[in-house]
Amino acid sequence: MVAVAASHLPPDVPLNDDALRLLRDNREQLLRMVHRTMLADQEAYPASPHPLQRYQQVEQQCAWWNDERLQGLLRAVNGETGEAEQFFSQPLASELLRWKNRLAVLPDVRFLHLARYMLATRHRSRLFWSDEGFIAWRSRQPAGSIDLRMLDAAMRAAGDTQDGVGLACLAERYYREPYPHAVLPAQCIWPFFEQRPDLIEQGLGLSADARVPPDRLQLDATLGVLATFPVLPQRWLPRVMEIALGESRQLRGLAQQLLATAPDLVSQVAASLASERQELRIRAAQWLGRLGDQGAVPALYRAVQLEKRDAASAALLSALELLGADLAPLLAPDVLLAQARKGLKARQPAGLAWFDFSALPACRWLEGAPVDADIVRWWLVLACKLKEPAGNPLLMRYLGLLQPGSRAALGETVLRQFIAHDARSVKSTLYGFEMTDYVGSAIGEKGLLALACHAPGPLAVALLQDFMRDHYLRRAQIEALLESLAAGCDPAVIQLLLTVARRYRTASVQDKARQLVERVAAAMGWSAGQLADRTIAYAGLDDGGRLALRYGARQYVLTLGTGLKPVLHNADGKAVAALPEPRQDDDPASIKEGKRQLSSCKKAVAQVVRLETARLYESMCAGRLWAAGEWRQYLHRHPITGRLLQQLVWLELAPDGELRQVFRPAEDGSLLDARDNEVALADDSMLRLAHAVLLDEVRIAAWQRHLRDYKTTPLFAQFDHRAPDQALLAGLEIDDRLGWTGNNFSLRTAFGKRGWVRGAALDGGVFDAYQKDVASAGLRANISFTGSQLPEERQPAALRTLSFLRLADLQVVPLAEVPPVLLAEAHADYHAVAMTCGYDENWESRTPF
């Protein structure tokens, strides 16, 4: 057993009268709760004696916990008695100590207090990390104050002999609770493991781990801990290098990140280019490309000359492309043609039999010369073999050799054929129900989509939206299509990705869209928010918000009227309801194009209004900040979004966060304060949307008057919702509407009106939560209820609690860490839904789940 590092233990302050009063109150609340449950059960099951017997049993147990014994329990928590086991093992001891996590958040509570009762009531000491009381306590500690050495010293002082702290970091996780190294600062992690290298050795598989699952140490967790070290210890470098070139993609990524600053890394990786295993050569080439070190170029060139396999050759060329090497000699048309004819002589992928190569468009090189059809055919075969729908640098370079029109035509052809083949189906009837049976799948040939990335954005979006609507069960295909189109960085596609990332019926597709948005933004050097700002569609409007239409021989102009509704004006400036019937001498092509432009503009404007309203509301909740210059350029001056900003109130903040002024954009482009004075923004200011929790009541009232005076309808409520009472924010959830009861259909309607969607179904097809994702904050608001079974039938349903989950790992976040505006808005929705119901003290017996 490792000796207790007493120097890492903070002073132990005994809990006193406040804790004793809390335990008494916990006892009374517990008894009242059981009494309510008994009455509800008796009403539901009048002939059964069990509810009364259960209540009498708990009543007797609560009576046993008189003040003297509660004091003994408190002494056990304080470590002042040798009879701790006697108290901790008594019935209701755990419930009294853990009731609503109230004890854990008392100001005087130290981790040692928690450790004493957690060790006595949990069969595995490492589970302290996922204990709700500990999480609530942890959330209230100053940043950087929780060190693993301190936790370990306290656990051992409380009697832990199982390496609870070490296993909490390295063993299999419970309930998806994040590892300590994902929560605590690095300097609070690595010093503990510097003193316990035996745990790292076992986690890396360098020494035997005698533990059995689920306590056996995990390799990914061990790599995560090693990432907290300022410098990776030399003795573990060879093992980490082995993992960095191993078969597991996830572990490879973790290990390669660890080795990013290792000495002589390029030469060590380059040595693997001579491996007899193609997979190892490919991984080494891909890694060298990502490293971005020009020193790898000679080794990659040598390897290209010797490589005989297509996939490995493509990986080597891709790495050279990423490193900016001169590939011109290898990309000459005659060289590409020779490669294509050689490759096409080999056996082709059997899955490509469905692809109609005769439908491929005639392509041209950038300088205008025609591209031999065999070259394009070979690119398709190679893309299929590589199985990377997002493409790779080599394929992207190949496409870059073509004229833009050729890239677009090739992309459209590939996209249409992939979707058409994958969507083939036949109708059948089973037990009276019409069924759709797919007769094929293109997922095995998803690599083809690497050449579809430059399909025209609006067309690609339309095709993909139809596929997602009609074939939403084909999750893998949808994700591959999103990956492919994201690589083209078309603004229309990016806006679709942002929409899917914000809300979609399938969680994995939504997560994929989020990842792609982050990937595209990172490639451009922007944040996800900046990417969204800079790709807002103009819907064909110019900077002044006008669209000129030629309709045969006549001219029309479209502008945005009240409520951002498109208004059509004739040559005299008079508003007209619609385009007139064409004249006999009008050019049919001009008539068709005019109608198309008008229809496209109306749809695009409606879409921008819908998407940007949702995005601005999310930005308010997440507390997003805009630099003043970017706000002016990408939002205020945008012909559609600029109009939306006029319906919102904004805060101007100094770089240190101090409030400078509150303003609203006016219809003439000026910025007004609440008294109608024109104001100007400082160049170094940051802007954010105003909210009631950020302003005092005087300012709120002034702005409410301003909006009324200007007859401005707010885009959404900014001043209606206040922060929840501070007393509700100590733990992980709010339950001030627990037991408000309606039916599952009324709840569904009420949640839907507020933008909340159904949570994932659990075992038996029952779902028990409605959720709203705020991706820019990395959080999911979660309101639980008693549940409803799919397919739904009308039945009673009661609200439970409001909580927040991290999107990254779906772990509960302490309320104190939730952005205050998001907390206020979600709490307001919780109450608003409750108002469609009514409180029922017998809710537990009235609901089926």
Side-chain angles (χ1 to χ4, degrees), residues 122-136:
R122 287 193 175 277
H123 64 287
R124 283 189 172 90
S125 62
R126 69 184 178 95
L127 298 184
F128 83 89
W129 185 256
S130 58
D131 185 277
E132 286 192 0
F134 169 73
I135 295 172

Side-chain angles (χ1 to χ4, degrees), residues 447-458:
L448 291 175
L449 293 174
L451 300 177
C453 61
H454 293 296

Side-chain angles (χ1 to χ4, degrees), residues 314-611:
L316 291 164
L317 290 169
S318 294
L320 287 167
E321 170 68 14
L322 284 173
L323 294 174
D326 181 15
L327 294 183
L330 302 176
L331 299 177
D334 57 335
V335 175
L336 293 176
L337 181 58
Q339 291 175 351
R341 288 176 174 168
K342 178 182 176 182
L344 291 173
K345 288 179 181 178
R347 185 177 180 181
Q348 305 303 301
L352 266 182
W354 57 266
F355 192 87
D356 183 6
F357 286 92
S358 66
L360 288 172
C363 296
R364 290 188 174 274
W365 301 115
L366 283 173
E367 65 273 15
V371 179
D372 192 287
D374 280 350
I375 293 177
V376 178
R377 185 185 181 99
W378 167 240
W379 289 353
L380 285 160
V381 172
L382 181 60
C384 186
K385 289 182 176 182
L386 294 178
K387 298 183 181 299
E388 298 177 15
N392 62 32
L394 178 63
L395 290 173
M396 296 298 286
R397 179 64 181 274
Y398 284 166
L399 291 175
L401 299 173
L402 303 179
Q403 290 182 346
S406 295
R407 293 198 295 265
L410 175 60
E412 179 181 346
T413 300
V414 172
L415 183 62
R416 286 186 181 279
Q417 288 208 41
F418 182 93
I419 288 176
H421 179 71
D422 196 81
R424 289 184 306 140
S425 60
V426 295
K427 300 291 185 181
S428 62
T429 303
L430 181 64
Y431 301 115
F433 294 95
E434 188 176 78
M435 309 288 289
T436 299
D437 299 314
Y438 290 99
V439 297
S441 170
I443 195 61
E445 295 73 54
K446 65 181 181 180
L448 291 175
L449 293 174
L451 300 177
C453 61
H454 293 296
L459 170 69
V461 167
L463 291 172
L464 184 50
Q465 286 178 324
D466 288 346
F467 186 83
M468 294 171 74
R469 181 195 64 223
D470 299 335
H471 309 284
Y472 57 87
L473 293 177
R474 300 224 137 182
R475 176 188 56 79
Q477 286 88 329
I478 291 172
E479 292 182 12
L481 287 161
L482 290 174
E483 276 196 297
S484 164
L485 296 177
C489 298
D490 185 279
V493 172
I494 290 172
Q495 288 296 314
L496 174 66
L497 288 173
L498 290 163
T499 303
V500 176
R502 187 175 295 114
R503 181 174 178 177
Y504 189 69
R505 65 195 304 163
T506 307
S508 65
V509 173
Q510 189 173 3
D511 290 341
K512 172 62 73 174
R514 287 196 192 103
Q515 295 167 15
L516 293 172
V517 167
E518 293 169 2
R519 183 189 302 173
V520 173
M524 295 183 173
W526 303 334
S527 69
Q530 289 174 317
L531 177 67
D533 292 343
R534 299 173 190 204
T535 56
I536 301 172
Y538 272 65
L541 302 172
D542 61 21
D543 290 340
R546 297 163 58 88
L547 170 65
L549 291 172
R550 184 171 183 83
Y551 186 72
R554 289 167 284 184
Q555 295 281 350
Y556 291 86
V557 173
L558 183 144
T559 62
L560 299 180
T562 304
L564 286 171
K565 300 296 184 184
V567 178
L568 194 61
H569 303 267
N570 61 22
D572 298 327
K574 181 180 178 181
V576 295
L579 291 171
E581 290 296 320
R583 297 168 178 164
Q584 288 186 351
D585 58 347
D586 281 333
D587 176 17
S590 174
I591 296 298
K592 182 178 180 180
E593 178 61 15
K595 290 180 178 179
R596 186 201 64 77
Q597 281 188 285
L598 178 60
S599 174
S600 177
C601 180
K602 288 181 176 180
K603 290 179 181 178
V605 168
Q607 184 180 46
V608 170
V609 170
R610 183 176 68 255
L611 295 181

Side-chain angles (χ1 to χ4, degrees), residues 129-433:
W129 185 256
S130 58
D131 185 277
E132 286 192 0
F134 169 73
I135 295 172
W137 174 83
R138 187 182 76 205
S139 71
R140 298 172 68 87
Q141 306 311 303
S145 65
I146 301 176
D147 187 289
L148 290 189
R149 293 170 296 179
M150 178 272 287
L151 297 181
D152 184 64
M155 290 287 282
R156 294 186 184 281
D160 180 28
T161 61
Q162 301 177 4
D163 271 329
V165 171
L167 267 63
C169 295
L170 299 179
E172 183 179 345
R173 290 185 295 174
Y174 270 70
Y175 312 116
R176 299 188 69 181
E177 175 64 21
Y179 284 116
H181 56 262
V183 176
L184 304 179
Q187 66 269 21
C188 297
I189 302 292
W190 69 265
F192 169 76
F193 286 98
E194 187 178 48
Q195 298 173 2
R196 295 297 309 278
D198 56 304
L199 292 173
I200 299 294
E201 296 276 330
Q202 294 169 25
L204 289 175
L206 295 172
S207 62
D209 178 10
R211 302 174 186 86
V212 297
D215 285 343
R216 185 164 291 162
L217 306 190
Q218 304 294 302
L219 185 52
D220 61 338
T222 306
L223 294 173
V225 166
L226 285 176
T228 68
F229 279 68
V231 177
L232 181 64
Q234 180 68 33
R235 59 181 165 175
W236 293 322
L237 278 173
R239 173 58 176 147
V240 177
M241 178 63 73
E242 179 185 344
I243 298 167
L245 290 168
E247 294 183 1
S248 169
R249 177 178 296 182
Q250 178 193 8
L251 295 176
R252 282 203 308 271
L254 294 172
Q256 289 175 11
Q257 290 175 22
L258 270 178
L259 295 170
T261 58
D264 199 26
L265 179 60
V266 169
S267 63
Q268 294 184 62
V269 179
S272 297
L273 294 176
S275 171
E276 294 182 357
R277 295 173 53 205
Q278 178 184 213
E279 296 81 4
L280 198 59
R281 300 196 302 274
I282 290 173
R283 293 172 200 149
Q286 291 171 339
W287 190 4
L288 289 170
R290 288 192 296 270
L291 286 174
D293 191 319
Q294 296 293 317
V297 170
L300 289 165
Y301 267 132
R302 288 193 297 272
V304 166
Q305 304 303 320
L306 299 173
E307 186 56 60
K308 305 297 183 183
R309 305 291 293 274
D310 294 332
S313 180
L316 291 164
L317 290 169
S318 294
L320 287 167
E321 170 68 14
L322 284 173
L323 294 174
D326 181 15
L327 294 183
L330 302 176
L331 299 177
D334 57 335
V335 175
L336 293 176
L337 181 58
Q339 291 175 351
R341 288 176 174 168
K342 178 182 176 182
L344 291 173
K345 288 179 181 178
R347 185 177 180 181
Q348 305 303 301
L352 266 182
W354 57 266
F355 192 87
D356 183 6
F357 286 92
S358 66
L360 288 172
C363 296
R364 290 188 174 274
W365 301 115
L366 283 173
E367 65 273 15
V371 179
D372 192 287
D374 280 350
I375 293 177
V376 178
R377 185 185 181 99
W378 167 240
W379 289 353
L380 285 160
V381 172
L382 181 60
C384 186
K385 289 182 176 182
L386 294 178
K387 298 183 181 299
E388 298 177 15
N392 62 32
L394 178 63
L395 290 173
M396 296 298 286
R397 179 64 181 274
Y398 284 166
L399 291 175
L401 299 173
L402 303 179
Q403 290 182 346
S406 295
R407 293 198 295 265
L410 175 60
E412 179 181 346
T413 300
V414 172
L415 183 62
R416 286 186 181 279
Q417 288 208 41
F418 182 93
I419 288 176
H421 179 71
D422 196 81
R424 289 184 306 140
S425 60
V426 295
K427 300 291 185 181
S428 62
T429 303
L430 181 64
Y431 301 115
F433 294 95

Side-chain angles (χ1 to χ4, degrees), residues 602-771:
K602 288 181 176 180
K603 290 179 181 178
V605 168
Q607 184 180 46
V608 170
V609 170
R610 183 176 68 255
L611 295 181
E612 292 308 302
T613 299
R615 194 166 69 89
L616 288 166
Y617 177 77
E618 180 178 309
S619 297
M620 179 184 73
C621 291
R624 183 188 170 188
L625 297 173
W626 282 266
E630 292 197 2
W631 182 88
R632 290 191 195 97
Q633 180 176 357
Y634 298 111
L635 298 186
H636 190 215
R637 295 172 184 166
H638 191 280
I640 305 172
T641 308
R643 294 278 296 275
L644 298 177
L645 302 193
Q646 298 167 15
Q647 299 171 255
L648 295 168
V649 179
W650 296 79
L651 307 182
E652 180 187 12
L653 308 176
D656 62 0
E658 182 180 357
L659 179 63
R660 283 178 168 167
Q661 57 188 352
V662 188
F663 69 93
R664 179 183 72 86
E667 291 75 4
D668 61 0
S670 63
L671 309 179
L672 303 179
D673 65 15
R675 297 182 177 179
D676 301 339
N677 298 313
E678 188 169 347
V679 301
L681 302 178
D683 289 340
D684 65 346
S685 289
M686 302 298 291
L687 308 182
R688 69 174 293 179
L689 281 155
H691 191 273
V693 304
L694 306 174
L695 297 174
D696 57 53
E697 294 298 328
V698 173
R699 279 196 172 102
I700 291 172
W703 276 104
Q704 288 173 330
R705 285 194 301 272
H706 174 98
L707 294 172
R708 286 196 302 270
D709 290 346
Y710 275 84
K711 295 182 173 57
T712 298
T713 302
L715 194 61
F716 44 75
Q718 291 179 270
F719 304 123
D720 292 358
H721 305 144
R722 305 304 195 265
D725 190 285
Q726 193 65 30
L728 297 172
L729 307 182
L732 302 175
E733 59 186 19
I734 294 176
D735 65 356
D736 62 341
R737 287 300 179 265
L738 177 68
W740 286 62
T741 306
N743 65 70
N744 55 332
F745 287 173
S746 64
L747 288 184
R748 182 176 67 188
T749 300
F751 277 115
K753 286 180 178 178
R754 291 161 180 82
W756 294 68
V757 297
R758 189 180 71 209
L762 308 174
D763 292 343
V766 175
F767 72 98
D768 63 357
Y770 281 91
Q771 300 169 334

